[in-house]
Every structure is written in structure tokens, then in C-alpha cells.
Amino acid sequence: MINLKYKRHFIYLLSFLLLACNSKDQDDLLQSVVLNFSFEHFWDDTPVSNADFNDFKFTTEAGDVISIERLRYLVSDVQIIDANNVGLEYDVYNLVDVTAGEGLGFEFQDDIPLGTYTVRLTFGLDNEDNAENYADLNSANFNVPEMLGGGYHYMQFDGKFINSESAEQGFNYHAIRAVDISGGSPVFPQDTFFTIDLGTIWIGPSTDISIRANLAEWFKNPNSWELNELNSVLMPNANAQILMYENGQSVFSLNE
Amino acid sequence: MKQLLLVFLFLVILSCSNTEESYSPISAPLDIPEVFENNILPPVIPLDNPQTEEGIALGRRLFFDRILSGDGSQSCASCHQPQLAFSDDNPTSRGIEGELGTRNTMPIFNLAWNYSERFAWDGKELSLERQVLEPVSNPIEMNSDWDEVIDRLNAHPDYPTLFNQAFPNEPISADLVTKAIAQFERTLISANSKFDRYLLGEVSLTANEENGLNVFMDEARGDCFHCHGSPNNPLWTDNDFHNNGLDATFTDLGLGAITGDPTDNGKFRSPSLRNLAYTAPYMHDGRFDSLEEVIDFYSEGLQASPTIDPLMKKIDQGGVQLTDQDKADLIAFLLTLTDPSFLETQGPPN
């Protein structure tokens, strides 16, 4: 599922002023570019697609053997920032559905000067975007219950692991905005969406940006994930959400 | 020469429109309920089968007409009864010869919002149009022959005119029958339950119904929403395939028999939880007579198997062991998804 909302805005006030003063020069430099993002999944060095699902073929850092049954996650808000720290943010979002093999890429077009940019995007949705109502994500059943603050899952990663009794057991590694409901109403201890920094990329008229997602990292770094302890009912568990947030930092990188 | 040809063509066109009274069907777009409009994607309408007043009326008539069955004893509505939200009350369906099928008759509503267009319990039917072909010729359903059906329709006093109005200048065919019935089915929309009115701010829930909604949405208790929708997805289904833990071994492979993939064995499409008050018995084989039995199953009757969905929890104990109060409240909530107005508006043609 690809969703592009061309609500483009400048992320730095400075950039706005700069562009305004130099708009004539800038206009001459503007060229049509197409940014084409794609996602490839790995378990460390082994490529993973939905054909590898439903099979106990992956071993976590903690030594648990797992099978992946369902994996979908959201990325949003592409930022491109030039050498002068002048940036643009594109208010886009895309549901990467590895299970269905859909949304494994998305692209959009804009008129910008060609050049080298730092490219970033957001894993999940920032709090502002998470408060909006998206018909496609509702239709895809990606919501977070109102009692947990509402909004959307950042990721739904379901599967099974061989537990300490050598039996198959389900896990639901669902990443959402960390929420504490112990006091009755939702309190948000910290943000758990995060920035995926792809580093600098030369942006030409047509630019392919391939993102590598190492799924093993969700269970590895810095927290070796103990599935026997943390396997389901993680949505209302703010501590588990913060651990996921920490582990997520090293999942995504530029595929070079 | 060119000019002559044009004049000639023009004459031909004129003469055609003079002799056959060409009729233009009147466009009849679906009336999209506010709770759908506010929350979910628009319905799926195939480009080659737009909704028209004449098409829908013809489809309604065909749906209720026994002319489609081999011995004239059964219509679609024999199994899909309007007063039961277009389902029936048998565990598995009964064909014209009285033979039992293996599956529970599915209700028919909100099918235009099945975005992946995989119909039936196992997803074997790939569009609403194509689905119509199957029951007509199925020996344990209507047991008919399509060529004979077309002959009967052509010989009928009304149908040739009705078809010509809905689909001008096309001979009656199985294709047109499926198009008309699919148009009618797309108008079967249910979105006027107590819960819909609650979403629109018109009514409030009782304390029990509210607790039931919380059980439904609570990952530690019901956790039903991951498969069956939520206030934000008021279809109350994900229209996807899961093994919800009914059996340890399967007599009916479900999706697995269609895909040939053993990891799909025992998976069936999540049904919508709207109108459960009318659609008993429950599950693909109608094994549960009451909602109490369904909730007991989810609470303590889960059966382990290799394909059971990872969302099913504490399988070694049969489930999450809901309290009696939570069970009762969950049912109270489910019954707020009942839409009596749907039964009233959708009868046979007069």
C-alpha cells in the first residue's frame, strides 16, 4: 500500500528564508526527480521474503528458534537535507507488508536541485501523523485501541518460537507508541517512533534508494530479546515498547 | 469516398437507433454509510459492471427466483434468507436434493468492501461476479445447467425485456446473470446497528457493552480486534485468513486446499461480526449453536496445531480464561453490532 500526501513543508525556517531570497537562482536549478524507495529484508546476511515464512529457520541472539508468520510496518515522513542543512520534508507514509508482498517500495516526484542530500525517514508515525485518521490503514486493520491512546501500529511482527519447554508458542512483537495505562488513562513515557538515517545519497533525475532491514536486529542490539519472557501482550507494556525502540535503531540501513 | 462512407455509417447508426428502442440504464451508485465513509476505503465496483437501477432490480429478481435451479425448487434466497441477514440456520447448507454441503451458509452484506475480493470461507471465489457461477451448477446446491438456465430465461415472459433494459443489446448469458446478481449483492449494506449509532454519537453504550468492547480490544483478554476489526474498521472483519484454533487436525483444509500450501491448512476467512444475532450456528461448519459456545471456545477451548495463528494465546491452557462477567459483557457488546433495519429493507421484489 503506497500513500503519498504531497503536504510538503520546509523543516527549517532558515531554509525558507534562503529559498525566498534566492528563489530566482533556485528556480533555474530545479529539476524533476523521482525518488524510488524499496525495502529488502534480511536475517543477518540471509535474504528474507514471505517465501521464508512459516518455517522455524531463524535463530535469535538469545538462541530462540523462530518462524515468521506475519510482518508489516509503517515508514513515513521522508526528509532530504542538502549540504547547507537546508531540508524538505515529505508527508508521506507507506505500509510495508512483507506477508502479502505489497508495499515493498514507493516512489514520489518533486522538483529540486540535483545534488547530494542526507536522506532520512521515520519508522512508524510521529505523534502528529499518528493522531490522523487513515482510511487505508483502518481498512488494513492496523489500528491501536483507543484505550492505548489510539493511532496505529508501527509494526506487527507475529510468529512462533520454540519455548523453554520445547513447544511451539506464538509471539506478537507489535511496536506502537509506548503507553502506560496503569493509572487508568493513557500516559506516554517517551516517543518510540524513530528516525532512519540513510546517510548521504546523490539524488539525480531518477534515484533508487534501497533500504535494508535486518530483522535479526529486532532481537539483538542492544537488548538480547528473551522471547520466553516477552512474547505477547506487549502493546500495553511500555517497557517492552522502549526495548523495541532501542533495538529498532540498528535494523535499517542503506543497501549498498 | 471518405465522405460517402461517413454518411453511410451515419445512416446505419441512425437506422439502428430507430428500429431497436435503445435504452440507457440509469446509474445507481451505492449509498455509502457515514461510518464507512468516515473510516474506510471506498467499495470495490468493477469497471465493467457499474451499478444501475435496472441491473440491481434484475439481480434482485434473479436472486429470489427458483428459475436458476435444476428442478425449480431453490433460489439463492433458499439458503441466503433475508430475515437471517442472508444466511440460514442449518449448520451446513442443504441443496435441492436435500444433500448437505460441508460449509455453513455465509451471510451476505458489505461484500463490496471485501477489498481483496476473495470470497467464500476459503477464498476460492475470486470476485462477486464469478462466485455466482458456482452455486447454480453445484450438484449439492442448485444442481442446474447454465445452458438450460439461459434457455429458460429467454423463454420467460419478462426476463428478455428486463435483461435488455439492464444490459442493452446483449444476448442473455451466464455472464449477464452474474453481473446483475453481483450488482444486487453490492447493495446489501448493513451499517445501522446500535454500535454504528454510537460511533455517530447518537446513542451511548451500557456499562456492560462498554466493558465488552474493552475485552474485545484488550490484548490481554479478548484480543479480537487484530482479526475482527474495530471502531475504526467497522466492517468488523479483516477479510483475511486465519486458523483460530478450532481443531488439532483438519477434516476441511480451508485455504490450504485452494493454495496447496500446507502452511495454509485450517485457515478460513474471518467472518464479519455484524448481525450475529441472525447468523447462528457459527464457524465454517456451523459447529457452535450459540455465542456462549463461541466465547467459551475462545476462552478455554483452543486446539493447538502447526498453523494456529500466533495471535491465539495460552493455547496450552485452552485460552486466556475470561471471567464470566467478561464473557457476558463481550456477548453484550457483540450484539450491539446487530442491525434489524437491514432485514426490513432487503426483501424479495414485489
Side-chain angles (χ1 to χ4, degrees):
Chain A
M1 198 171 301
I2 302 160
N3 265 286
L4 300 175
K5 291 193 301 167
Y6 290 95
K7 201 178 92 188
R8 176 185 133 184
H9 46 85
F10 300 105
I11 50 177
Y12 300 118
L13 184 66
L14 181 68
S15 70
F16 180 73
L17 296 174
L18 277 176
L19 279 178
C21 304
N22 299 333
S23 64
K24 201 156 177 70
D25 301 354
Q26 289 281 347
D27 279 351
D28 297 340
L29 295 172
L30 297 187
Q31 286 207 29
S32 170
V33 305
V34 174
L35 294 183
N36 183 2
F37 291 85
S38 60
F39 294 82
E40 287 184 42
H41 301 87
F42 292 84
W43 189 273
D44 291 325
D45 294 324
T46 314
V48 177
S49 75
N50 53 5
D52 302 299
F53 283 19
N54 303 299
D55 195 354
F56 287 88
K57 63 195 287 188
F58 307 108
T59 305
T60 65
E61 179 74 4
D64 295 316
V65 178
I66 74 161
S67 98
I68 303 172
E69 297 200 5
R70 200 180 292 120
L71 175 61
R72 357 182 244 171
Y73 59 89
L74 275 173
V75 290
S76 62
D77 284 355
V78 174
Q79 297 180 4
I80 59 170
I81 298 150
D82 73 11
N84 304 318
N85 228 13
V86 174
L88 293 168
E89 178 168 314
Y90 300 85
D91 193 13
V92 298
Y93 64 95
N94 180 59
L95 179 63
V96 181
D97 186 341
V98 187
T99 322
E102 287 166 8
L104 299 178
F106 67 98
E107 64 171 37
F108 62 89
Q109 186 274 334
D110 195 14
D111 295 331
I112 57 168
L114 305 189
T116 301
Y117 291 84
T118 299
V119 178
R120 296 182 184 145
L121 60 170
T122 298
F123 173 79
L125 295 172
D126 67 23
N127 299 334
E128 188 193 354
D129 287 341
N130 200 29
E132 287 181 35
N133 192 27
Y134 304 91
D136 56 345
L137 299 180
N138 296 341
S139 302
N141 232 31
F142 216 53
N143 303 82
V144 168
E146 252 345 283
M147 59 197 191
L148 297 180
Y152 297 88
H153 285 75
Y154 300 161
M155 177 170 73
Q156 179 180 20
F157 188 163
D158 290 321
K160 297 197 181 104
F161 68 105
I162 307 294
N163 67 18
S164 49
E165 266 118 63
S166 305
E168 294 180 10
Q169 185 178 337
F171 69 81
N172 312 118
Y173 193 112
H174 292 196
I176 65 169
R177 181 182 186 187
V179 57
D180 179 356
I181 50 165
S182 55
S185 52
V187 176
F188 304 101
Q190 74 167 65
D191 288 338
T192 43
F193 64 87
F194 58 83
T195 301
I196 300 171
D197 194 334
L198 298 174
T200 54
I201 296 174
W202 163 257
I203 295 182
S206 171
T207 304
D208 291 332
I209 300 177
S210 167
I211 296 166
R212 178 189 175 94
N214 180 0
L215 305 175
E217 290 289 330
W218 285 115
F219 300 88
K220 188 188 280 185
N221 177 28
N223 309 297
S224 174
W225 197 271
E226 291 294 340
L227 277 170
N228 280 288
E229 277 145 43
L230 293 172
N231 46 67
S232 63
V233 198
L234 304 181
M235 293 172 72
N237 182 339
N239 290 335
Q241 291 305 324
I242 292 166
L243 297 176
M244 292 181 200
Y245 160 82
E246 290 171 354
N247 282 12
Q249 309 291 328
S250 53
V251 169
F252 300 94
S253 59
L254 190 67
N255 211 2
E256 284 166 304
Chain B
M1 183 61 198
K2 251 190 200 151
Q3 249 172 8
L4 254 182
L5 193 72
L6 270 181
V7 169
F8 179 69
L9 269 177
F10 186 65
L11 284 176
V12 171
I13 289 164
L14 268 184
S15 67
C16 286
S17 52
N18 278 343
T19 47
E20 290 181 34
E21 330 150 35
S22 178
Y23 186 96
S24 263
I26 301 159
S27 162
L30 290 183
D31 211 350
I32 298 179
E34 201 178 336
V35 288
F36 292 0
E37 187 82 63
N38 293 345
N39 288 299
I40 54 175
L41 295 172
V44 181
I45 314 278
L47 285 177
D48 68 349
N49 192 21
Q51 298 286 117
T52 66
E53 279 179 18
E54 294 77 1
I56 296 164
L58 173 61
R60 179 188 296 267
R61 181 152 176 181
L62 289 165
F63 189 92
F64 287 94
D65 198 330
R66 296 174 183 172
I67 195 169
L68 297 182
S69 66
D71 62 0
S73 69
Q74 215 178 37
S75 70
C76 306
S78 306
C79 298
H80 299 284
Q81 300 167 16
Q83 71 278 15
L84 297 176
F86 290 85
S87 68
D88 65 18
D89 50 14
N90 301 317
T92 59
S93 63
R94 201 176 284 272
I96 63 167
E97 318 281 359
E99 287 147 292
L100 290 181
T102 55
R103 299 260 175 90
N104 185 246
T105 301
M106 305 181 88
I108 299 183
F109 51 76
N110 304 341
L111 298 190
W113 282 267
N114 179 347
Y115 303 108
S116 61
E117 295 189 83
R118 297 173 71 184
F119 295 95
W121 284 104
D122 53 12
K124 67 173 175 284
E125 311 289 354
L126 298 182
S127 76
L128 263 190
E129 277 76 6
R130 275 189 271 177
Q131 190 282 331
V132 180
L133 294 171
E134 196 267 349
V136 172
S137 52
N138 188 334
I140 59 167
E141 294 191 18
M142 300 165 92
N143 194 17
S144 214
D145 176 287
W146 270 105
D147 290 337
E148 284 169 23
V149 170
I150 305 306
D151 289 346
R152 286 201 292 271
L153 291 170
N154 272 315
H156 191 274
D158 303 339
Y159 277 117
T161 314
L162 296 176
F163 271 91
N164 195 46
Q165 287 175 349
F167 306 102
N169 306 325
E170 290 184 63
I172 296 179
S173 63
D175 184 47
L176 295 187
V177 173
T178 69
K179 282 183 167 169
I181 292 182
Q183 285 187 39
F184 166 61
E185 288 174 321
R186 291 191 175 96
T187 67
L188 301 177
I189 298 172
S190 174
N192 187 27
S193 64
K194 177 177 182 184
F195 199 86
D196 295 309
R197 279 176 277 122
Y198 163 74
L199 286 178
L200 296 172
E202 295 167 7
V203 293
S204 48
L205 300 183
T206 66
N208 296 59
E209 291 163 351
E210 207 154 320
N211 181 49
L213 171 62
N214 287 340
V215 174
F216 189 90
M217 301 299 291
D218 184 348
E219 221 191 351
R221 291 186 286 169
D223 194 9
C224 317
F225 75 98
H226 274 116
C227 298
H228 282 295
S230 69
N232 299 91
N233 178 357
L235 297 173
W236 300 100
T237 171
D238 62 359
N239 276 316
D240 207 347
F241 300 87
H242 306 271
N243 170 359
N244 64 345
L246 289 170
D247 296 301
T249 54
F250 313 116
T251 43
D252 184 340
L253 297 182
L255 180 66
I258 307 307
T259 61
D261 179 348
T263 68
D264 288 333
N265 285 354
K267 294 187 184 173
F268 293 88
R269 204 172 102 231
S270 319
S272 171
L273 300 184
R274 284 180 176 272
N275 296 317
L276 291 171
Y278 313 120
T279 60
Y282 305 106
M283 303 297 169
H284 69 271
D285 53 5
R287 68 177 66 189
F288 298 131
D289 287 329
S290 67
L291 288 176
E292 284 75 12
E293 286 175 53
V294 171
I295 302 307
D296 286 347
F297 151 72
Y298 276 116
S299 173
E300 51 257 11
L302 299 179
Q303 301 290 316
S305 67
T307 61
I308 191 170
D309 199 284
L311 287 162
M312 310 316 294
K313 293 174 221 15
K314 303 204 174 158
I315 305 162
D316 51 343
Q317 300 159 48
V320 295
Q321 326 278 325
L322 296 173
T323 64
D324 288 346
Q325 188 64 54
D326 280 351
K327 286 182 182 179
D329 291 351
L330 182 51
I331 292 175
F333 157 68
L334 290 174
L335 292 175
T336 68
L337 302 173
T338 309
D339 174 4
S341 70
F342 176 62
L343 312 188
E344 286 153 23
T345 52
Q346 300 296 352
N350 339 338

